[in-house]
């Protein structure tokens, strides 16, 4: 090995984002061939690594196919038209692993508006795209903020079963499976377990996938998604829970400003300002508002998608808030474990609950509320929802032993990510999405 080769082999790897720190110096890059151009006497390689892309220029090179992994050694030079303002003049190019065939997608030219099925059919390649991975980077930072903020608020991370004997929310949207001859299901929520764990740590959270066997095929639903779950004990009412989520959202947006400014710029998205006190409106008043102000007749027990959009439009225009809590949901629109609301005289109103949703830029991203903590009230609710008390005994028995007033919420990470970045289809906000028609890749 020559002296030059020995020196080159000892060069530490430089990331493309750091080229500006090495102007005029020799560097060693490793990454993927994002794009290539052969102009005869001059050849260009756009190299992509985990931090970004860099333009590399040389001559008499045997250029491999795009997506091949390579090592380039060369000298950094300032160049106004190159990505980041610098390019690398290639001295040597080594193929670490050659692509054996052309990529089914031309990654540098991919856009969000291409056929979604084509993008997802070849997700193992398309996820390498700069825009695609930017969305996943943002989601990763949201999860990081979730961990960091809640630990700072005295929460303990837990891990709950994903194979269960009964659904947390009942209904038919459960994936069934055979569990050694017994009927079992994939968990649609960690709700029942995180409530039990409030009796252990008082404040708990979990980040884990959940499963919904719903036969929808919309741009806002997944059958497997990442759920950010919180449960906290010794609360006064659901206001404590909303205040916690308010604080988390503010913390998360500040984290995104620090860690993901480049990703938001790439996707043409803006990071919202979170009010110190996110506006609240009852469901009844929300339905009345969108009808009287916008002429939209709301169907069903909840807010339909158009009503959610209009309500968010109202608060964006009147209070400059991209967020709004919708509160006081009717019992028929909430799960069996949701606590009843109080009347003016302090008695409980069985028809209205302390459940809430958080809407963001026209779509619901959170469901939460105060939970029932008294055993007798819980058993009455299980009966009212026509559920089998024996099937729920593994959950309900703990309420005989002094559960505190408690509540919590759950955020769908993909839905929040998609809304933040203006991604029209939530499937783009997951590396390998699962919907009613997709089990691969």
């Amino acid at each position: 090995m020559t002296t030059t080769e020995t020196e080159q082999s000892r060069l530490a790897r430089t990331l493309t984002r750091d080229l500006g720190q090495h102007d005029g110096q020799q560097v060693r890059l490793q990454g993927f061939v994002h794009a290539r151009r052969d102009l005869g006497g001059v050849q260009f390689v756009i190299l992509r690594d985990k931090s970004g892309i860099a333009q590399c220029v040389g001559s008499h090179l045997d250029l491999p196919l795009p997506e091949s992994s390579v090592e380039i050694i060369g000298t950094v030079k300032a160049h106004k038209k190159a990505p980041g303002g610098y390019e690398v003049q290639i001295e040597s190019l080594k193929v670490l692993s050659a692509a054996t065939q052309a990529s089914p997608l031309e990654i540098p030219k991919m856009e969000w508006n291409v056929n979604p099925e084509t993008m997802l059919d070849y997700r193992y390649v398309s996820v390498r795209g700069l825009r695609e991975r930017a969305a996943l980077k943002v989601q990763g930072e949201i999860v990081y903020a979730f961990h960091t903020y809640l630990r700072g608020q005295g929460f303990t991370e837990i891990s709950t079963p994903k194979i269960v004997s009964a659904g947390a929310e009942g209904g038919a949207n459960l994936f069934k499976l055979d569990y050694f001859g017994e009927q079992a299901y994939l968990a649609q929520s960690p709700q029942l377990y995180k409530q039990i764990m409030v009796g252990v740590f008082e404040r708990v959270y979990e980040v884990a996938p959940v499963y919904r066997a719903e036969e929808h095929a919309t741009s806002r639903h997944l059958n497997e998604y990442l759920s950010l779950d919180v449960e906290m004990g010794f609360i006064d009412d659901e206001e404590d829970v909303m205040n916690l989520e308010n604080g988390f959202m503010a913390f998360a947006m500040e984290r995104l400003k620090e860690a993901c400014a480049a990703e938001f710029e790439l996707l043409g998205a803006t990071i919202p300002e979170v009010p110190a006190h996110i506006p609240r409106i009852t469901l009844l008043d929300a339905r009345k508002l969108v009808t009287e102000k916008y002429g939209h007749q709301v169907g069903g027990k909840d807010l339909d998608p158009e009503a959610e959009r209009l309500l968010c439009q109202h608060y964006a225009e009147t209070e400059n808030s991209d967020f709004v809590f919708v509160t006081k949901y009717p019992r028929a629109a909430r799960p069996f474990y949701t606590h009843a609301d109080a009347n003016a005289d302090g008695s409980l109103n069985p028809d209205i609950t302390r459940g809430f949703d958080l809407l963001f830029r026209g779509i619901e991203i959170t469901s939460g509320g105060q939970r029932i903590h008294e055993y007798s009230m819980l058993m009455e609710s299980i009966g009212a929802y026509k559920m089998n008390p024996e099937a729920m005994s593994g959950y309900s028995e703990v309420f005989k032993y002094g559960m505190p007033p408690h509540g919590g919420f759950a955020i769908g990470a993909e839905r929040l990510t998609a809304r933040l970045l203006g991604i029209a289809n939530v499937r783009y906000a997951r590396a390998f999405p699962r919907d009613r028609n997709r089990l691969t890749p």
Side-chain angles (χ1 to χ4, degrees):
M1 180 179 290
T2 67
T3 302
T4 300
E5 290 172 334
T6 301
E7 291 173 350
Q8 289 178 347
S9 69
R10 292 174 180 171
L11 277 174
R13 182 189 182 191
T14 297
L15 294 176
T16 58
R17 70 183 175 203
D18 298 328
L19 288 180
Q21 302 173 21
H22 300 275
D23 189 15
Q25 299 175 8
Q26 188 182 62
V27 294
R28 177 181 175 222
L29 303 179
Q30 291 178 322
F32 300 89
V33 177
H34 188 65
R36 60 180 189 170
R37 284 184 296 156
D38 193 331
L39 303 181
V42 180
Q43 295 166 301
F44 292 89
V45 175
I46 304 299
L47 181 136
R48 183 185 73 244
D49 63 17
K50 66 178 184 178
S51 68
I53 59 174
Q55 177 174 290
C56 306
V57 60
S59 59
H60 307 295
L61 303 171
D62 185 10
L63 297 180
L65 289 172
E67 295 310 307
S68 297
S69 60
V70 299
E71 176 179 283
I72 290 175
I73 292 176
T75 301
V76 179
K77 296 292 183 183
H79 192 293
K80 292 182 180 179
K81 295 184 179 180
Y86 294 89
E87 71 175 10
V88 174
Q89 296 179 345
I90 301 173
E91 296 165 12
S92 67
L93 185 152
K94 177 182 178 181
V95 177
L96 302 177
S97 178
T100 59
Q101 62 184 48
S103 171
L105 295 169
E106 197 170 351
I107 290 178
K109 296 182 179 180
M110 289 191 309
E111 296 290 347
W112 293 119
N113 59 355
V114 302
N115 187 315
E117 297 307 314
T118 301
M119 293 282 288
L120 297 177
D121 286 344
Y122 299 105
R123 193 61 169 164
Y124 48 84
V125 173
S126 68
V127 77
R128 295 183 177 189
L130 297 178
R131 296 171 66 90
E132 285 71 20
R133 76 180 191 183
L136 300 180
K137 167 71 180 300
V138 168
Q139 188 174 129
E141 291 299 332
I142 292 171
V143 172
Y144 173 85
F146 192 69
H147 283 282
T148 305
Y149 180 76
L150 292 176
R151 286 185 177 276
Q153 296 294 316
F155 282 76
T156 299
E157 184 177 11
I158 59 172
S159 180
T160 63
K162 298 299 167 256
I163 300 175
V164 296
S165 61
E169 299 177 8
N173 62 339
L174 291 162
F175 285 108
K176 298 179 180 179
L177 60 106
D178 177 75
Y179 192 72
F180 304 106
E182 292 186 39
Q183 181 73 72
Y185 308 92
L186 292 179
Q188 61 186 178
S189 167
Q191 180 61 44
L192 308 186
Y193 289 101
K194 66 177 182 171
Q195 285 185 258
I196 292 171
M197 294 303 290
V198 163
V200 181
F201 295 114
E202 299 182 12
R203 292 184 161 208
V204 297
Y205 77 95
E206 181 174 25
V207 177
V210 296
Y211 306 88
R212 304 291 176 98
E214 298 167 336
E215 294 191 12
H216 42 50
T218 76
S219 62
R220 57 192 283 175
H221 289 96
L222 291 167
N223 294 102
E224 177 189 61
Y225 65 89
L226 187 65
S227 186
L228 313 181
D229 273 88
V230 172
E231 206 73 20
M232 58 191 295
F234 296 101
I235 64 172
D236 291 327
D237 54 33
E238 74 276 25
E239 281 289 329
D240 290 340
V241 183
M242 288 189 282
N243 289 338
L244 178 78
E245 184 168 18
N246 202 147
F248 162 66
M249 284 296 175
F251 182 87
M253 295 310 112
E254 289 303 312
R255 173 63 188 178
L256 293 179
K257 290 177 183 178
E258 295 173 7
C260 295
E263 284 73 19
F264 276 83
E265 182 179 0
L266 174 65
L267 298 173
T270 58
I271 300 173
E273 296 297 326
V274 181
H277 185 79
I278 293 174
R280 278 98 157 130
I281 185 172
T282 68
L283 176 64
L284 183 63
D285 287 343
R287 291 168 66 97
K288 182 179 179 181
L289 187 154
V290 297
T291 298
E292 293 182 352
K293 182 173 182 177
Y294 299 103
H296 176 69
Q297 298 296 325
V298 186
K301 299 170 289 187
D302 202 336
L303 295 177
D304 56 35
E306 178 63 7
E308 291 180 347
R309 187 188 70 78
L310 292 171
L311 186 64
C312 286
Q313 179 180 324
H314 167 78
Y315 279 99
E317 292 171 348
T318 61
E319 298 194 32
N320 196 31
S321 174
D322 286 336
F323 299 87
V324 57
F325 281 113
V326 181
T327 67
K328 310 301 182 186
Y329 274 77
R331 188 177 192 180
R334 295 282 104 168
F336 74 94
Y337 48 76
T338 312
H339 200 288
D341 195 29
N343 293 309
D345 62 3
S347 62
L348 294 179
N349 182 345
D351 297 323
I352 303 296
T353 73
R354 293 175 180 172
F356 65 81
D357 282 353
L358 177 61
L359 308 187
F360 170 58
R361 290 180 177 171
I363 193 170
E364 174 242 312
I365 58 168
T366 294
S367 285
Q370 183 176 352
R371 326 302 191 185
I372 295 172
H373 59 277
E374 295 180 354
Y375 179 75
S376 60
M377 186 188 300
L378 179 64
M379 297 311 294
E380 183 277 329
S381 185
I382 288 173
Y385 279 75
K386 302 187 185 306
M387 302 173 73
N388 182 353
E390 293 184 4
M392 302 301 296
S393 62
Y395 159 72
S396 62
E397 286 295 298
V398 74
F399 291 86
K400 293 180 179 179
Y401 306 105
M403 286 293 288
H406 62 282
F409 60 84
I411 303 171
E414 294 86 355
R415 188 177 287 189
L416 175 56
T417 304
R419 212 59 185 167
L420 275 168
L421 298 175
I423 300 173
N425 194 315
V426 71
R427 293 183 294 176
Y428 286 111
R430 189 167 179 85
F432 302 102
R434 292 292 175 260
D435 57 38
R436 62 175 303 205
N437 300 312
R438 186 167 299 281
L439 196 56
T440 61

